[in-house]
Amino acid sequence: MKPILLGSVADDFTGATDLASTLVKAGMRTVQLLGVPRADLQVPDADAVIVALKSRSNPAPEAVAMSLAALDWLRRAGARQFYFKYCSTFDSTDRGNIGPVADALSDALGTDFTVFNPAFPTNKRTVYQGYLFVGDVLLSESSMRQHPLTPMTDPSLVRVLGRQTTRKVGLVPYAAVRKGPAAIREAIANLRREGCRHAVLDAITDEDLFALGEACADLALITGGSGMAMGLPANFRRQGLLTEGQSIRLPEVTGHAAVLAGSCSAATQGQVELMKQTHDAWEIDPVAIADGRDVAGEALAWATPRLGDKPILIYSTGAPEQVAAVQEKLGREHAGTLVEETLAKIAKGLVSRGVRRLVVAGGETSGAIVSALGVEGLQIGAEIDPGVPWTASLNEPRLALALKSGNFGTPDFFTKAFAKYG
Ligand code: ADP
C-alpha cells in the first residue's frame, strides 16, 4: 500500500461517510474503515483513509483511547496530515469528547496548535464570531438544545471548547477569514504568539471553507465537520501529491441484488411503497419475531427462488401508527433490536445465497448489517443521491453496498441505485 495523504478519525459512522463523500467529490480515492482497524488490515491504494469510530458519546477516556489507536494505524499508513471529524453541530458535553480527543491527538502528533470548525454552509451550519448557527437560529435555540445525549445549550464554541480543555482557546474572526488565506495565516500566527493552542474558525460560505483549508495546509492536525475538509484536496494537488482529474471507480461486483429496509423514516416509507409496485417484496412483522417465529428463515425461504439481477425488497418499514403499536407492545429498544438482528441474519443468509449488491435503508440497521457481515472497511464511490455513495467492501466476498440514512434519497432511490454502481 502506498502512503496515504490524509488520515482521519471520525467520531461516528454516518459522519465518516459524509467526510468520505466530500473527499471523493474532490478527487481523492477514499477508504472508510469500520472501527479501529487491526494492525495487519490490507487496504487498496488510497489518498485518504477515514477510521469511523462510534466514540461521540462514550466517556472521554474511552473516546481518547480509541482515537489514539486509530491515529496510530493512520500514522503507520503514512498519512501526511490528520483530520478529526465531528458533527456540524459540535455534539459534545463539558466533559468532552471534542476537546480531550483533539488534545490527545495533538500531543501524540507533537503539534502545539490546531483549529476547530464545524461549519457546513450547505446544511446551514455557519460560525460567526465563534457562535454556531443552525439555520437562522443560534445552536442553543435549535433542536440540539434538547438532544438526549449531547444537549447544546451554549452557542459559543470558544466557551464550549474552553470547558473541555485546559489549553487556551482563541478565535479567527470572520473579518480575517473573508480576507483570504494570507490574513487567516496572520491571525493564526497572532493567536499562537498570545499562547493560544486551539483556534475556533469563523466560516459562513463554502468560499470561506476553501480559504481556511488553504491557510491550514501546513497544520499537522485539523479538526472539524466535513465542510472544513473541502479545501484540503487542493493543497495536496498544489504540492503535486494528488493526481488531477483522477477517476474514482469501484471494483466490479456481480451477483444477485437486494434491498433491506429497516428504517421507518418518511423518505424510506415512500421508497418502499414505490418499489413494491414493480418488485417482489416481503414484509417483516416485529411481533412475529417476538413470538419466537423464525422470521429470518421464512424471509430467506421466500427470497431464495426470487434472487437474480432484479432486486428483491425485504422491509420492516411501517407507518408511524404501526411502529407506535409495536413499540407499545414490545418496548422501543427491544423492538428495534429484534428487527435489527433479524435483518442482519437475513443479510448474512442472502450473501451466502449469492447476493453481492445490497442497498440498506436505516442508520442503525446499516450498522447491524455491516457488523454481521464482518465488513472491516469500504472503498467509497460516487454518490447515488446527496449523502449516499455506493461503496465496495474490502473483505471477500466483495459486496457492493449502499448504506442509506433513513431520510435520504429520492422516491425511486432503491431501483435507480443499481443502475448507478461504479
Ligand atoms: P433511520 O436511519 O431511519 O433512523 P434506523 O435503522 O437508524 O433508521 O432506525 C430504525 C429503528 O427502527 C431500528 O432500530 C429498527 O430496527 C427499528 N424498526 C424497524 N422497523 C420497525 C417496526 N416495524 N416497528 C418497530 N421498530 C422498527
Side-chain angles (χ1 to χ4, degrees), residues 4 9 11 20 28 33 37 78 94 107 120 138 152 154 181 216 236 245 289 315 322 336 345 396 422:
I4 61 174
V9 180
D11 69 356
M28 291 185 98
L33 302 178
D94 286 352
D107 289 348
F120 190 3
L138 285 166
M152 302 302 291
D154 183 351
C216 293
F236 295 120
I289 311 173
Y315 65 99
Q322 210 178 329
K345 222 188 266 177
E396 295 293 339

Side-chain angles (χ1 to χ4, degrees), residues 24-226:
V24 168
K25 268 187 270 183
M28 291 185 98
R29 294 166 304 161
T30 303
V31 166
Q32 179 175 336
L33 302 178
L34 312 181
V36 176
R38 58 190 160 83
D40 58 349
L41 178 68
Q42 293 299 313
V43 309
D45 281 342
D47 304 308
V49 172
I50 302 164
V51 178
L53 301 175
K54 211 171 179 304
S55 57
R56 183 170 295 167
S57 311
N58 294 46
E62 268 177 47
V64 164
M66 280 191 247
S67 306
L68 287 175
L71 179 74
D72 197 41
W73 193 96
L74 293 165
R75 289 178 93 172
R76 276 189 277 125
R80 291 170 168 261
Q81 190 172 41
F82 297 87
Y83 197 91
F84 170 35
K85 159 75 175 72
Y86 40 77
C87 190
S88 62
T89 40
F90 213 76
D91 302 19
S92 54
T93 69
D94 286 352
R95 286 186 301 282
N97 290 337
I98 295 174
V101 169
D103 288 350
L105 295 177
S106 302
D107 289 348
L109 289 167
T111 179
D112 66 354
F113 188 84
T114 189
V115 292
F116 297 78
N117 182 2
F120 190 3
T122 313
N123 279 6
K124 298 193 162 53
R125 271 60 157 164
T126 54
V127 184
Y128 181 67
Q129 304 295 13
Y131 287 81
L132 177 56
F133 289 82
V134 177
D136 48 13
V137 298
L138 285 166
L139 174 68
S140 51
E141 294 168 21
S142 76
S143 61
M144 281 305 295
R145 189 181 177 81
Q146 277 113 19
H147 189 282
L149 301 173
T150 49
M152 302 302 291
T153 53
D154 183 351
S156 160
L157 298 183
V158 174
R159 281 195 307 253
V160 171
L161 185 60
R163 290 192 291 269
Q164 297 177 12
T165 174
T166 52
R167 296 169 195 191
K168 190 168 169 189
V169 182
L171 171 71
V172 176
Y174 198 64
V177 175
R178 62 193 279 261
K179 285 192 200 139
I184 297 165
R185 275 193 288 267
E186 196 185 313
I188 286 177
N190 287 337
L191 289 177
R192 289 178 97 143
R193 270 193 295 275
E194 289 164 20
C196 290
R197 296 186 56 188
H198 291 324
V200 171
L201 310 175
D202 276 356
I204 296 175
T205 65
D206 283 355
E207 289 70 43
D208 300 334
L209 293 171
F210 283 112
L212 287 166
E214 186 178 337
C216 293
D218 296 330
L219 294 185
L221 174 69
I222 293 172
T223 87
S226 60

